[in-house]
């Protein structure tokens, strides 16, 4: 039975959303196409009606996850949240974010893996990092745009690195120390 275009579009979005969560939770190689489609409730054969390859889905899923993160960051910037940088850092460097990679930053969860993928995946990460740095730059007072961008890059790299380290260690106290630092 053929599905309508609207249902096909809905299925595609559901696949992308589910893949974004599962890739962040398990890594790109931690979930296969057959298992992903089963989780979504669709047949394995239907995958190629939506995507040309798993690599295509990886790029789209990462773009989806990155967009959600950037939107949240830009909301803090545009809505004039008092102490927006502090609020962003506190949320990002939280135990909740550390413990729930499926719902968190795609860069912290998959950045090292993305470096080993083709340009379609790396391009998504490039655009995401650039957008995040642009948004963080807007949160920084004073200085020149160049100096603020340099500081924003340092802040972003420190936050991403802190989450990676906090997730990597098996010492709970050290993990907390990393997040608090």
């Amino acid at each position: 039975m053929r599905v309508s275009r609207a249902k096909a579009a809905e299925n595609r979005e559901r696949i992308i959303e589910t893949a974004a969560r599962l890739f962040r939770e398990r890594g790109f190689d931690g979930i296969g196409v057959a298992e992903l489609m089963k989780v979504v409730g669709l047949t394995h054969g239907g995958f190629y009606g939506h995507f040309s390859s798993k690599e295509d889905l990886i790029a789209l899923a990462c773009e989806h996850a990155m967009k959600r993160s950037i939107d949240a960051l830009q909301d803090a910037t545009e809505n004039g949240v008092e102490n927006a940088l502090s609020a962003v850092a506190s949320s990002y460097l939280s135990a909740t974010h550390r413990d729930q990679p499926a719902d968190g930053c795609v860069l912290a969860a998959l950045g090292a893996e993305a470096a080993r993928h083709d340009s379609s995946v790396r391009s998504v990460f490039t655009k995401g990092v650039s957008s995040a740095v642009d948004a963080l730059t807007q949160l920084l007072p004073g200085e020149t745009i160049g100096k603020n961008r340099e500081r924003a890059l340092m802040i972003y790299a420190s936050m991403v690195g802190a989450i990676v380290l906090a997730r990597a260690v098996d010492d709970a106290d050290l993990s907390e120390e990393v997040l608090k630092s």
Side-chain angles (χ1 to χ4, degrees):
M1 178 153 98
R2 224 163 140 76
V3 298
S4 69
R5 287 181 195 223
K7 184 63 176 171
E10 180 185 312
N11 288 344
R12 179 181 167 89
E13 285 306 307
R14 206 169 70 226
I15 295 165
I16 291 170
E17 172 73 29
T18 302
R21 288 184 49 76
L22 291 173
F23 288 149
R24 284 177 286 172
E25 181 180 302
R26 301 182 191 177
F28 295 137
D29 294 332
I31 180 99
V33 169
E35 184 182 0
L36 169 66
M37 294 302 281
K38 185 176 181 179
V39 169
V40 175
L42 299 171
T43 64
H44 175 244
F47 177 84
Y48 293 99
H50 295 284
F51 310 100
S52 61
S53 64
K54 184 177 177 184
E55 194 77 5
D56 179 32
L57 174 61
I58 288 171
L60 291 167
C62 289
E63 183 175 51
H64 174 81
M66 191 73 77
K67 182 180 180 335
R68 288 183 60 206
S69 295
I70 299 305
D71 287 349
L73 185 54
Q74 288 174 336
D75 284 349
T77 303
E78 293 167 3
N79 293 328
V81 174
E82 190 172 334
N83 297 321
L85 181 58
S86 179
V88 165
S90 292
S91 175
Y92 193 93
L93 298 170
S94 68
T96 300
H97 185 216
R98 176 197 60 208
D99 298 342
Q100 298 175 359
D103 297 321
C105 175
V106 69
L107 187 63
L110 297 167
E113 287 187 56
R116 295 181 196 95
H117 282 261
D118 72 17
S119 63
S120 66
V121 173
R122 294 183 69 208
S123 175
V124 168
F125 280 81
T126 300
K127 290 174 189 167
V129 169
S130 183
S131 294
V133 170
D134 288 347
L136 285 172
T137 299
Q138 299 301 311
L139 297 177
L140 298 173
E143 303 293 331
T144 65
I145 294 294
K147 284 250 186 229
N148 281 354
R149 182 169 176 80
E150 184 179 314
R151 286 179 53 217
L153 278 163
M154 179 191 66
I155 290 167
Y156 191 53
S158 295
M159 289 188 334
V160 171
I163 286 294
V164 171
L165 291 174
R167 287 177 179 163
V169 300
D170 68 354
D171 179 326
D173 291 336
L174 178 58
S175 181
E176 283 299 317
E177 186 180 2
V178 168
L179 292 178
K180 288 178 181 171
S181 71

